[in-house]
């Protein structure tokens, strides 16, 4: 396991950051934790990486199973709080660093839609994605948590076509989650490369934060493969 330190908060609010803001991200390159790291960078958050070599099976060792019994990344530790699940982590981190402007405040009319589309990721998109990837017949529409794949994706298409971001003109932490998700799900051919999805993913992945982490991930993934013996 390797630890790295990152302090990339913009100068304008660096004075306000204390050690109480420091976050530890349990991490593996080119995984669902990548989006969380990109979010930390977009937020200018101070964080440490606790890196797991998943190719060597470190996520299933007792030390990490004590953090997340599912053996999955991302997970974060912030003080006494341990948070798993991308959806919870996205909301938690964006609220922890409101200065970055990526979270609508509680009294903002966008707060509800913001939560809706973040929750949609975990509750509807991911289950649909896995059924599609496994070429599994979905449950009947009344039992399926996502209705059916085309309806689930169609709702996203409608929302994104209002763009440029999920909530219209305002970029939020939800876009970091979704931009990264569209990028890898289209790369794996699970989500079709429709113009609206491609443009949206490009808008998010062309940002410096994603570019930086993507490059670092490539290097780290190669080191992990070598360390795990190919
Ligand atoms: N429900 C979890 C899923 C996380 C997840 O699937 N993580 C994958 C990385 S892409 C993982 O850690 N897989 C390792 C394994 O299960 O061995 C979330 O949304 O955070």
């Amino acid at each position: 396991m390797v630890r790295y330190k990152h302090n990339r908060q913009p100068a304008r609010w660096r004075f306000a950051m204390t050690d109480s803001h420091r976050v530890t991200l349990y991490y593996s390159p080119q995984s669902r934790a990548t989006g969380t790291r990109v979010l930390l960078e977009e937020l200018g958050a101070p964080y440490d990486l606790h890196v797991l070599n998943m190719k060597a099976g470190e996520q299933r060792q007792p030390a990490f199973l004590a953090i997340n019994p599912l053996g999955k990344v991302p997970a974060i530790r912030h003080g006494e709080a341990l948070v798993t699940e991308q959806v919870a982590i996205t909301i938690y981190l964006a609220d922890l660093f409101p200065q970055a402007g990526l979270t609508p405040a509680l009294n903002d009319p966008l707060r509800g839609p913001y939560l809706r589309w973040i929750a949609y990721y975990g509750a509807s998109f991911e289950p649909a994605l896995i059924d599609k990837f496994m070429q599994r017949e979905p449950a009947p529409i009344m039992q399926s948590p996502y209705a059916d794949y085309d309806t689930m994706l169609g709702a996203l298409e409608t929302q994104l076509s209002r763009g440029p971001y999920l909530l219209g003109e305002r970029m939020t932490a939800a876009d970091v989650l979704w931009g990264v998700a569209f990028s890898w799900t289209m790369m794996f051919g699970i989500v079709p490369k429709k113009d609206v999805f491609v443009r949206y993913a490009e808008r998010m992945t062309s940002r410096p934060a994603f570019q930086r982490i993507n490059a670092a991930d490539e290097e780290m993934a190669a080191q992990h493969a070598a360390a795990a013996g190919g």
Side-chain angles (χ1 to χ4, degrees), residues 181-217:
F182 270 110
S183 158
W184 70 263
T185 54
M186 286 193 291
M187 191 169 73
F188 287 123
I190 314 172
V191 166
K193 290 190 174 142
K194 290 195 170 189
D195 277 358
V196 58
F197 300 147
V198 171
R199 274 200 310 274
Y200 177 68
E202 277 174 4
R203 184 167 299 120
M204 296 311 297
T205 58
S206 61
R207 294 174 63 83
F210 181 88
Q211 291 289 315
R212 251 189 333 266
I213 300 312
N214 195 38
D217 262 15

Side-chain angles (χ1 to χ4, degrees), residues 117-134:
W117 290 108
I118 293 179
Y120 196 85
Y121 175 86
S124 298
F125 181 73
E126 279 257 4
L129 201 70
I130 300 304
D131 279 350
K132 187 82 173 168
F133 178 71
M134 300 299 292

